Amino acid sequence: MRPFDGRRVLLVVSGGIAAYKSAILTRRLIEAGAGVEVILTAAAERFIGRVTFEGITGRPAHASLWDRPMAHLDLGLEADIVVVAPATANLISRLAAGAADDLAATAVLASRAPVILCPAMNTRMWEHPITQANVARLVDVGYGIAGPADGPLAEGESGPGRLLEPEEILPRIGRALETATGLRGRKIVVTAGPTRAALDPVRFISNRSSGRMGFALAEAAWRRGADVTLISGPGRVPRPPGPDVVEVETAGEMLAVLETALTDADILLMAAAVGDFEPTRTADSKIKKGDGFQLLLRAGPDLLLETRAFRERKGIFTLGFALETEDLLARGREKLERKGMHLVAVNSAVERDAGFESETNRITLINRSGRVEELPLAKKTELADELLDRIEASMAAAER
Ligand code: CTP
């Protein structure tokens, strides 16, 4: 069971322009399996109506201490997590002071669930020492702070103060809710995406990898409590918000960053489609079409092979992938042995709904004792959790 299934989220909305994003957050939470209760402050009701949230959650939204006696206690007590989004300077100051002057503040004060605040306000208000002191006070009592993001603000100004996007808030809620995990505190390195090898300053060879499988693994591992470093090659797909991301371009750069990241790692998830070939020479200036060009390629570094001895010495659990067009199982097994993996996820490069550029994948897992498990076609985001479940189980078995 993943963290949102059947979990109860109390969403407190205070009054800012960004309050509309909370409606989208509510929808995302419900899609992920959570039950959501919503409390609006009086100011929030001026920005967005109760009816919007009632339409999304299918239950009454709450705004007043006097609508339903004791609601302030029930709502906070029943919640598995309290999320305040947007959290205005005013609500933050009331929470920091322990105020109980409306339903929102009272419910947060009365709850014993973890609290995540997602601030949204004008930059000068955010940077004001009083707001910063209030935030520090709330951090001190264990409240999590998500954001604010830097960027254009409602008044035509720009700077820190924007509410995070719902897609950025969701994994943070997941991380706080995640209890069924053996990955908490583990250091996990994930590689993702393609690499590029330059022919000249404007041209390169690369491959069709989107990075989705690696990003899904990084996001799921982070949500499950791990410290995640994501080493990503260039690609269009947005990076997951939680992990530390290091952007690289060439296979050589990816290897250098990987070697450093592995020094204190427990697990490597090697999902990158590292380019196997690189040109024997890279021109310093743009090659003119009139000049003609003979392309000579040589093999580039194999990152799993290069790091094999170190990983084995340190006992770093390694998941690798094998992208094949034929003889899937035999080749997967061979790669697992040769490249020093504990688990190999074999996928076919010819199926339409799997592999590169697809949002779904069909994976066959092979472990060191030769056990084969076929996972059904699924979204890469779902497969990421399936893979992490298998990794947790085999690490737990190895530690017994
Ligand atoms: N890999 C790597 N370094 C490379 C190429 C691949 O570390 N230069 C890793 C991939 O990240 C993957 C595993 O090795 O986890 C297998 O990748 P795959 O492309 O299937 O294998 P190749 O080594 O490229 O072998 P082949 O070209 O023979 O299929």
Side-chain angles (χ1 to χ4, degrees), residues 270 272 274-276 301-304 320-324 335 339 341:
M270 189 71 199
V274 186
D276 290 319
D302 186 298
L303 278 51
L304 280 177
F321 283 76
L323 186 67
E324 307 291 351
K335 274 183 191 161
K339 298 197 177 204
M341 308 174 193

